Structures are given as C-alpha cells and as structure tokens.
C-alpha cells in the first residue's frame, strides 16, 4: 500500500517486535484499556489496522497514539502475547521522528507546569511525545 | 545488607521526604541504601521499541555499577524500577539490544549482560527482611487504620518481567499494611492506571481515572491509599479533594509506623 509517510507495516512490526498475525480479535485488550473512550482506534483495532497496512491512518490519528497511557494493561491481559501497546509506541515514534512533528515542544512546557508536578511526569511525557 | 540505590530524579527533587523516610526505615530494619554515584535519570518510561538504544544506557550504567560492586540494585520508585528491570531483561535476553548497547558502552569500558538483580524496596521488605521482622520493629502500630494499596501499572506489569507478584491479584503491599498493624482494604481499581503522564497535557483524563479509583477504594472502606510511584501519588493527591481518602507514599507510612519519621 502506498504511504504518505514512507513508513511500512513491516518497519512498525520490526521495531515494535510484534507480530499482529497472532491476534485472534478477542478484544480483551480494548476491554482492559483505561483510555478506551479517549482513543479513536482502540487497541484491538490498532492491531488489525497494522496487519492491514493502514499505517497512514494510524499516524494521523492523534487520539489513538497520544492518549495511550502506556499502562500495559493490554499487554498483560492479551491471551496471545500480542502486546498492542508496543505497536502504538512504534507508530507514535514514527510520527515524532518526522521532523517538526514533535507533539510537545519546550515552548509548550511552562504553561503546563504546576508546582507539585513530579519530574517523572515531565520526563515521561517528553519521552513519549518527542524524539 | 548493602544495596546499590537508584533514587531517581523525582525522589531527589519533589519527593525528597519520601527518599529520607525510605532510607531511615531501611536503617531501622537493618539494610543500607548506598546511592549510586552520578546516576542519570532513567527516562521515566520504558522504551518499548527495539531500536531505541541510547535511552536505555542510563539504566545500563547503573546496572553495571551494581554488578561491579557485587550488589543488588534497589529502587523506591515504581517507575525507575519498571524501566531498569525491563532494560535489565533486554540486556540478558534481547540479542539486538544487548549487542548495540554494549557497542556504545565499550568506550566506557563496560560490558554488561543482565547480571545484576533488580529489586524494589517492597521486595526487600518481603523477601529479605521478612514481614514478621517488620512487624516486630513497628513502634507505632497503625491500629484499625483502613488502608488500600494502590499499585497502578508499573510495579506489576508486564508480569513476566517484573515478577514481583500476581499482576491481577497482588498482595505485597496489603501484607506490608498488615505488618504495620493496619487493615488492608482490597478494591478492584488498585491495579488500574491513574492516567500517568497524560496529566501534563490533559488533566481531565487522570481526573476521571482518579475519581473512579478513589471512589472504589472508599466504597470498600479505605480511609487512605498508599503508593510507591511519585506520579501516581501526584495524580491521586491532585484529585483526592472531596473524596475523603488520604493519599500517602508508602515510605512515609512505614517511617511513621517504625517511629523514625522525625530525624533524631
Ligand atoms: S497501554 Fe495504552 S492501549 Fe494499552 S491498555 Fe494502556 S492505555 Fe490502553
Ligand atoms: S487481547 Fe490480544 S488477541 Fe485479543 S484482540 Fe487484543 S491483541 Fe488481539
Ligand atoms: S522513573 Fe522517574 S523518577 Fe525514576 S529516574 Fe526515572 S524519571 Fe526519574
Ligand atoms: S498508575 Fe499512573 S503513574 Fe502510576 S504507574 Fe500507572 S500510569 Fe504510571
């Protein structure tokens, strides 16, 4: 399938270390997902779309890649060890690695700070939202 | 017993007291946290992709330091623990990651293949000291206090690597609560995510998660919840108002029970 971004499903599967063919579409990952309501494509759909090579659509879906909390519930509760969150991370990384696509820039930070916020929130968000 | 201690940037800054309570409690129980010199922030979240090598190196350096000193590596922060333990697992079992990371580390004279044992403070209490000993050391038993454990995500998942406890039905914190003389409250949301780092750009998501978590804890009778993750702590505390549930870091409650909360 032609891609606007030159990112193939093979690359996503490779850097994620995930084989979406293992998925049996049981939906347990999506049932476990605490961010289900916030995401356009839910974890089980995300897996299916990678398998179908619909990478562009995933890369363009901000809610699906940035509202994942990396809580690993989908990884823990999948009966087939598919690890959907790793695919989400791979697509997110493909997006932020594209120049100028950082979801968060240093200019955005001051407005987001509050005095009790732990460093951990900042470094984690930075790791997830920038390259 | 002396451990190589990785405090993490949060316990060094915003959560300094929590670090001090943990160190004093350790001394009271007979183990020592020896801080790894010049440790670097682990990044806060485990890099799930294979080709992210550079971000794993701060963990590898800390792990290699512990190996050189023949010590186990201990953390008090769930996030540091999660990152370092998963990176350790990569170094032991993922050839691609191990080879590439070791290539980087050569210039520093380091070769590392996952030899160090990574333990969370809670595991030391349970497995090395033993909860019976903790119980004996308690000076101010928290009698009748109803406390819920909040595990969040990072202590337990992924369970095949973290291997601390049953990820769906854990008891390591409940058993500590018992040892401190309080009553553990079990509630379904104790291992469901609080919203984590999304708090930075969208407060509404953690707010909704935390209300669900704390309401559930309260319905089951909890007056307080305790956690081992500074980010859980922040999110829970931020949105605890009006729920009537107190939120504390586990080291504070422990130091209190052991009678070492105030420096003497
Ligand atoms: S890791 Fe992301 S996708 Fe998976 S359950 Fe958690 S929030 Fe949902
Ligand atoms: S839980 Fe696993 S097998 Fe089931 S739909 Fe999700 S990824 Fe597929
Ligand atoms: S997990 Fe947190 S606190 Fe621990 S070092 Fe890493 S980012 Fe800093
Ligand atoms: S519960 Fe929240 S802060 Fe804690 S581990 Fe999960 S996402 Fe991180």
């Amino acid at each position: 399938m032609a891609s606007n971004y030159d990112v193939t499903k093979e690359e996503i599967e490779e850097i994620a270390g995930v084989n979406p063919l293992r998925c049996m579409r049981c939906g347990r990952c999506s049932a476990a997902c605490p961010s289900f309501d916030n995401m356009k494509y839910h974890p089980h759909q995300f897996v299916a779309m990678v398998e179908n090579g619909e990478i562009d659509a995933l890369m363009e879906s901000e809610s699906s890649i940035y509202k994942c909390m990396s809580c690993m519930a989908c990884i823990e509760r999948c009966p087939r060890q598919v690890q959907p969150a790793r695919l989400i991370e791979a697509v997110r990384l493909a997006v932020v690695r594209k120049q100028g696509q950082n979801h968060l820039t240093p200019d955005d930070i001051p407005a987001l700070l509050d005095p009790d916020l732990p460093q951990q929130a900042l470094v984690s968000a930075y790791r997830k939202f920038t390259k | 017993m002396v451990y190589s201690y990785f405090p993490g940037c949060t316990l060094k800054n915003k959560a300094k007291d929590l670090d001090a309570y943990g160190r004093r409690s350790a001394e009271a129980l007979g183990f020592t946290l020896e801080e790894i010199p010049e440790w670097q922030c682990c990044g806060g979240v485990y890099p799930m992709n294979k080709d992210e090598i550079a971000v794993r190196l701060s963990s590898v350096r800390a792990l290699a330091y512990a190996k050189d000193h023949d010590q186990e590596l201990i953390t008090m922060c769930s996030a540091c623990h999660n990152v370092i333990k998963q990176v350790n697992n990569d170094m032991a079992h993922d050839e691609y990651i191990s080879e590439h990371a070791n290539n980087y580390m050569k210039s520093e004279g380091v070769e590392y293949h996952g030899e160090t044992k990574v333990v969370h403070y809670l595991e030391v209490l349970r497995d090395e000291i033993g909860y019976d000993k903790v119980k004996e050391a308690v000076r101010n038993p928290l009698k009748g206090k109803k406390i819920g454990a909040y595990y969040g995500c990072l202590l337990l998942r992924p369970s095949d690597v973290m291997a601390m406890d049953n990820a769906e039905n854990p008891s390591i914190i409940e058993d500590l609560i018992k040892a401190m003389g309080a009553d553990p409250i079990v509630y379904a949301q104790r291992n469901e995510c609080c919203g984590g780092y999304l708090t930075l750009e969208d407060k509404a998501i953690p707010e909704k998660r935390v209300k669900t978590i704390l309401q559930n804890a309260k319905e089951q009778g909890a007056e307080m919840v305790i956690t081992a993750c500074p980010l859980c702590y922040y999110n829970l505390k931020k949105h605890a108002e009006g729920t009537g549930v107190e939120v504390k870091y586990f080291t504070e409650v422990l130091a209190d029970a052991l009678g070492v909360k105030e420096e003497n």
Side-chain angles (χ1 to χ4, degrees):
Chain A
M1 183 185 284
S3 164
N4 297 333
Y5 305 102
D6 292 324
V7 179
T8 64
K9 94 187 194 104
E10 287 75 18
E11 284 168 62
I12 295 294
E13 291 172 16
E14 170 68 27
I15 61 169
V18 167
N19 175 8
L21 286 173
R22 294 181 58 85
C23 174
M24 60 180 189
R25 310 260 189 274
C26 68
R28 291 256 300 265
C29 49
S30 291
C33 179
S35 215
F36 183 90
D37 295 338
N38 309 312
M39 296 161 79
K40 180 173 175 193
Y41 302 121
H42 305 129
H44 74 288
Q45 292 170 298
F46 207 101
V47 173
M49 287 173 72
V50 171
E51 189 191 323
N52 295 333
E54 298 171 67
I55 307 300
D56 283 10
L58 292 173
M59 287 178 75
E60 281 163 8
S61 175
E62 292 221 341
S63 71
S64 310
I65 55 183
Y66 294 122
K67 299 298 182 194
C68 164
M69 306 165 186
S70 303
C71 74
M72 295 177 282
C74 56
I75 292 179
E76 188 66 38
R77 293 171 198 168
C78 169
R80 304 270 301 161
Q81 288 84 45
V82 176
Q83 312 200 351
R86 284 183 183 257
L87 288 175
I88 299 175
E89 174 125 318
V91 173
R92 177 167 51 218
L93 203 64
V95 173
V96 299
R97 277 177 180 169
K98 299 226 151 287
Q99 216 164 16
Q101 293 275 322
N102 280 349
H103 185 58
L104 208 61
T105 72
D107 295 343
D108 297 332
I109 299 285
L112 301 170
L113 290 183
D114 88 50
D116 310 324
L117 192 76
Q119 268 76 6
Q120 185 188 350
L122 268 179
V123 296
S124 305
Y126 230 76
R127 275 259 315 104
K128 289 288 172 180
F129 297 154
T130 64
K131 72 170 161 50
Chain B
M1 184 96 160
V2 180
Y3 292 86
S4 287
Y5 171 48
F6 186 94
C9 49
T10 301
L11 287 173
K12 271 300 186 190
N13 289 281
K14 299 285 175 200
K16 265 197 201 117
D17 292 349
L18 310 177
D19 172 80
Y21 297 144
R23 287 169 185 257
R24 289 209 288 272
S25 300
E27 292 301 333
L29 292 167
F31 64 104
T32 298
L33 308 183
E34 205 171 83
E35 187 167 331
I36 298 172
E38 293 169 37
W39 58 271
Q40 301 155 324
C41 175
C42 67
V45 277
Y46 170 68
M48 288 191 247
N49 285 330
K50 274 178 178 301
D51 65 344
E52 292 181 280
I53 302 298
V55 292
R56 286 178 164 88
L57 299 180
S58 56
S59 297
V60 176
R61 287 189 188 102
L63 288 160
Y65 174 91
K67 177 188 158 194
D68 275 355
H69 290 76
D70 250 330
Q71 292 175 350
E72 296 181 0
L73 186 154
I74 191 173
T75 62
M76 252 185 259
C77 161
S78 311
C80 306
H81 181 67
N82 189 280
V83 174
I84 295 173
K85 192 150 184 184
Q86 291 210 72
V87 170
N88 202 37
N89 183 63
D90 291 338
M91 295 304 287
H93 301 298
D94 189 310
E95 269 176 45
Y96 177 91
I97 291 171
S98 167
E99 187 192 323
H100 284 77
N102 274 307
N103 277 343
Y104 272 101
M105 299 303 293
K106 253 194 209 127
S107 60
E108 299 174 27
V110 171
E111 187 172 341
Y112 184 75
H113 296 282
E115 295 89 343
T116 298
K117 186 172 175 200
V118 180
V119 290
H120 190 273
Y121 194 100
L122 288 165
E123 290 174 299
V124 173
L125 296 183
R126 181 190 61 188
D127 305 331
E128 292 300 323
I129 307 301
Y131 283 149
D132 289 349
K133 282 271 163 55
V134 174
K135 191 174 173 184
E136 281 169 26
V138 166
R139 304 253 190 82
N140 311 316
L142 309 166
K143 271 218 190 70
K145 189 91 183 159
K146 296 189 172 4
I147 305 178
Y150 179 64
Y151 288 90
C153 325
L154 299 177
L155 272 182
L156 303 170
R157 295 193 284 265
S159 59
D160 55 341
V161 179
M162 302 315 291
M164 178 187 286
D165 207 340
N166 181 326
E168 303 301 346
N169 191 18
S171 62
I172 187 168
I173 303 181
E174 283 78 3
D175 292 341
L176 172 63
I177 292 170
K178 264 186 232 161
M180 296 188 296
D183 298 334
I185 299 293
V186 173
Y187 59 105
Q189 288 281 331
R190 67 197 164 133
N191 60 345
E192 301 295 343
C193 180
C194 71
Y197 53 82
L198 289 189
T199 195
L200 202 64
E201 58 159 4
D202 190 347
K203 288 263 183 295
I205 295 176
E207 182 170 3
K208 204 168 147 201
R209 286 295 317 131
V210 169
K211 293 279 182 236
T212 307
I213 293 163
L214 292 181
Q215 256 160 29
N216 179 222
K218 191 173 172 91
E219 275 161 22
Q220 298 308 312
E223 305 161 282
M224 180 196 286
V225 295
I226 58 175
T227 171
C229 170
L231 186 51
C232 305
Y233 178 70
Y234 168 83
N235 279 336
L236 291 175
K237 236 181 145 74
K238 192 101 209 145
H239 305 295
E241 213 171 299
T243 62
V245 182
E246 238 185 315
V247 178
K248 293 240 160 117
Y249 211 69
F250 80 102
T251 55
E252 179 174 359
V253 179
L254 178 63
D256 206 5
L258 295 174
V260 297
K261 194 166 165 189
E262 308 304 330
E263 207 160 4
N264 47 34

